[in-house]
Amino acid sequence: MRIPSFYLPGRGLLHACDARVKLLLLLPFAVLFFLPLSLRLLAAYLGVLAGSYLLFLGPRELARTLRSLLPVIVLVLLLTPPFHPQGRPLLVVFSRPLVTWEGIRESLALAGRFTGLSLLFLLLLRTTDPDQLILSLRWLGVPFETALVITITLRMIPSLAALYENVLDAHRLRRADEEPSGRGALRRLAQVLPVLTSVLIQAVKGIPLLAMALESRGLGRKNPRTSLLELKSSSGFRRDLAAGLFILLLVLAPLLFFPSWKN
Amino acid sequence: MTNKSSSAPGTAFRIATLAVLTAVTAVFTLVIRIPIAPTRGYLNLGDVAIYFCAFSFGPFTALAAGGLGTALADLLSGYAQFAPISLLVHGLQGLVAGLIASSGRGGRAETPLWLLAVCAGTLIMCSGYLAAESLLFGFGAALVELPGNLLQNLAGALAGIPLALAVRRAYPPIREFRW
């Protein structure tokens, strides 16, 4: 079974940008979508994000991402207005306003916020190598042990998924002469329990072996650690940070210098 | 190398335990799905893995493996915006379930405690996601997710408890892996 990876290699500016800068700027850009923005400004920010997606990842990736977000966006657009009955009514049911202009405005704002945050997070992940991402988390202060757990986990996930497939096939072969599996979520859950038991036992048996391998590689020693992989040089980091802050300022400019654009 | 119960587990053993169980949680969330015919949706078994960790390995393993495992699953499946929420909510779910489950002396009193742990975990998970999703995309849409989350936790209880018992019976050394 193929586990999807969140990184898409490429050669754009965003791919080349320092991972630390992207992580540092993620928070202020994310907070932006929680500010009370006008629909015009929100649409403009979404346009910039979509444009960046198109530029650095391509139209197919943008279409795939928007398709995966569509069910939630539709849900938000349909279910938000009934919870905002204030304002000029558009649709009245049994003398109660079901849909109002304010409700539609709120649903568009929430859909925009959700879409913007999704595109922002995915833009970071799709253009950042996982090793660089983990090194950046270490630079930000995440302990080495936590980063090591994440690294080992990312490498173990495909092999555990393959183990599950193998055990599932083995159990199916043992049940080949039995009746076909029943319908109903409960019945399927009961049928998958023996498979899960086997998978868990195999996984847990590997813990002492992995611990031995880590100890034999010097984990837990007190002497200073070296690293095979390194982050960019400090001059590259400073250049990328300056560029990132400039872009953030450009994005914040309508809010800071043209307050009327907020409404 | 074995984890002797008379001494605290070393750093390497703890890291190995966390890495394996985090990967198990991520795989249970990402790969193993039970279709629900009426809605054509899927149940994922992430909560099963979290409760298994809580009952078999203790609260702190469940906190780390549950939070990190589900967050990584969100990142890998293209729902990165939910990763911080999953990290917090499922981590708390695992921690509280583990604390309640390990508060007893074992034996016959264990199963009622585990059921209580699942109830507490369900409350935390459902209310946590309801609050966070309300902030993200509004109360109306967040409310629609609530039945699915309740169903996931029911599956977590129905499968997590028998799994923990079955693995313990089939592989007794697992009792020494708690920390």
Side-chain angles (χ1 to χ4, degrees):
Chain A
M1 162 146 316
R2 200 176 152 266
I3 300 288
S5 167
F6 51 71
Y7 175 54
L8 283 174
R11 290 186 188 174
L13 275 174
L14 209 53
H15 284 87
C17 180
D18 196 305
R20 289 168 289 184
V21 172
K22 284 188 273 190
L23 263 183
L24 282 171
L25 292 177
L26 178 66
L27 183 61
F29 277 110
V31 165
L32 201 61
F33 286 97
F34 288 94
L35 298 175
L37 305 171
S38 68
L39 288 180
R40 276 183 307 172
L41 205 48
L42 186 59
Y45 289 154
L46 286 177
V48 167
L49 272 175
S52 308
Y53 226 88
L54 267 174
L55 189 64
F56 298 115
L57 296 168
R60 202 176 280 180
E61 184 57 31
L62 177 64
R64 202 164 67 92
T65 303
L66 289 175
R67 246 197 325 267
S68 71
L69 297 176
L70 199 59
V72 179
I73 293 172
V74 167
L75 214 60
V76 172
L77 290 173
L78 289 177
L79 293 175
T80 305
F83 289 89
H84 289 85
Q86 313 89 344
R88 195 153 53 96
L90 266 177
L91 178 67
V92 177
V93 175
F94 299 121
S95 315
R96 291 196 65 197
L98 187 66
V99 180
T100 62
W101 280 114
E102 184 58 37
I104 289 182
R105 193 206 166 280
E106 188 64 26
S107 66
L108 286 172
L110 285 171
R113 174 192 293 175
F114 174 71
T115 309
L117 285 170
S118 306
L119 289 178
L120 192 65
F121 272 85
L122 286 170
L123 206 53
L124 164 73
L125 288 176
R126 293 270 194 259
T127 58
T128 310
D129 184 281
D131 292 328
Q132 291 292 309
L133 193 60
I134 291 167
L135 282 172
S136 303
L137 289 173
R138 288 262 297 122
W139 180 82
L140 283 171
V142 168
F144 169 74
E145 287 77 15
T146 309
L148 182 62
V149 166
I150 297 173
T151 307
I152 297 173
T153 302
L154 286 174
R155 277 153 178 78
M156 280 195 74
I157 287 173
S159 47
L160 264 179
L163 172 67
Y164 168 71
E165 292 291 327
N166 289 341
V167 171
L168 188 63
D169 287 341
H171 279 259
R172 274 191 192 132
L173 284 170
R174 281 176 177 77
R175 292 199 312 260
D177 55 349
E178 290 175 8
E179 284 174 17
S181 58
R183 291 185 181 184
L186 272 178
R187 188 164 287 200
R188 284 179 194 248
L189 192 62
Q191 283 169 349
V192 92
L193 270 181
V195 178
L196 298 181
T197 308
S198 305
V199 169
L200 280 171
I201 292 173
Q202 286 302 312
V204 166
K205 275 183 176 177
I207 292 174
L209 297 171
L210 178 59
M212 261 197 289
L214 290 172
E215 276 192 347
S216 69
R217 279 160 178 77
L219 187 72
R221 288 172 59 179
K222 302 262 187 283
N223 50 319
R225 186 178 309 284
T226 58
S227 180
L228 174 67
L229 303 168
E230 283 177 359
L231 291 165
K232 267 186 181 178
S233 67
S234 52
S235 58
F237 168 68
R238 280 194 293 265
R239 182 198 62 219
D240 290 349
L241 183 62
L245 288 172
F246 177 69
I247 293 169
L248 181 64
L249 200 61
L250 274 179
V251 166
L252 287 174
L255 294 174
L256 295 173
F257 303 116
F258 304 101
S260 61
W261 286 31
K262 267 195 243 180
N263 306 315
Chain B
M1 177 259 188
T2 55
N3 180 34
K4 296 176 188 162
S5 54
S6 56
S7 62
T11 307
F13 192 86
R14 290 189 190 195
I15 288 175
T17 307
L18 285 176
V20 168
L21 293 175
T22 304
V24 162
T25 308
V27 167
F28 273 39
T29 308
L30 267 176
V31 174
I32 306 172
R33 292 177 176 197
I34 309 287
I36 313 171
T39 63
R40 294 194 181 183
Y42 285 95
L43 274 180
N44 73 60
L45 299 188
D47 292 283
V48 173
I50 292 170
Y51 289 127
F52 169 77
C53 291
F55 301 151
S56 302
F57 289 85
F60 302 108
T61 310
L63 163 72
L68 259 182
T70 50
L72 282 173
D74 286 336
L75 292 178
L76 290 170
S77 60
Y79 293 100
Q81 64 278 23
F82 290 103
I85 302 170
S86 295
L87 183 67
L88 213 63
V89 172
H90 283 294
L92 205 56
Q93 177 190 16
L95 176 69
V96 170
L99 285 171
I100 294 174
S102 40
S103 62
R105 289 182 205 168
R108 284 194 180 175
E110 212 170 38
T111 311
L113 266 180
W114 286 9
L115 286 170
L116 185 64
V118 167
C119 291
T122 303
L123 190 65
I124 288 169
M125 188 263 201
C126 293
S127 55
Y129 267 102
L130 186 64
E133 287 174 346
S134 295
L135 201 64
L136 205 54
F137 42 74
F139 184 70
L143 210 54
V144 167
E145 301 279 308
L146 190 60
N149 288 337
L150 283 167
L151 208 59
Q152 296 252 139
N153 275 274
L154 179 64
L158 288 174
I161 294 175
L163 253 186
L165 292 170
V167 171
R168 192 188 281 187
R169 201 176 304 128
Y171 187 62
I174 198 174
R175 288 174 190 266
E176 295 176 22
F177 290 8
R178 292 176 73 95
W179 54 272

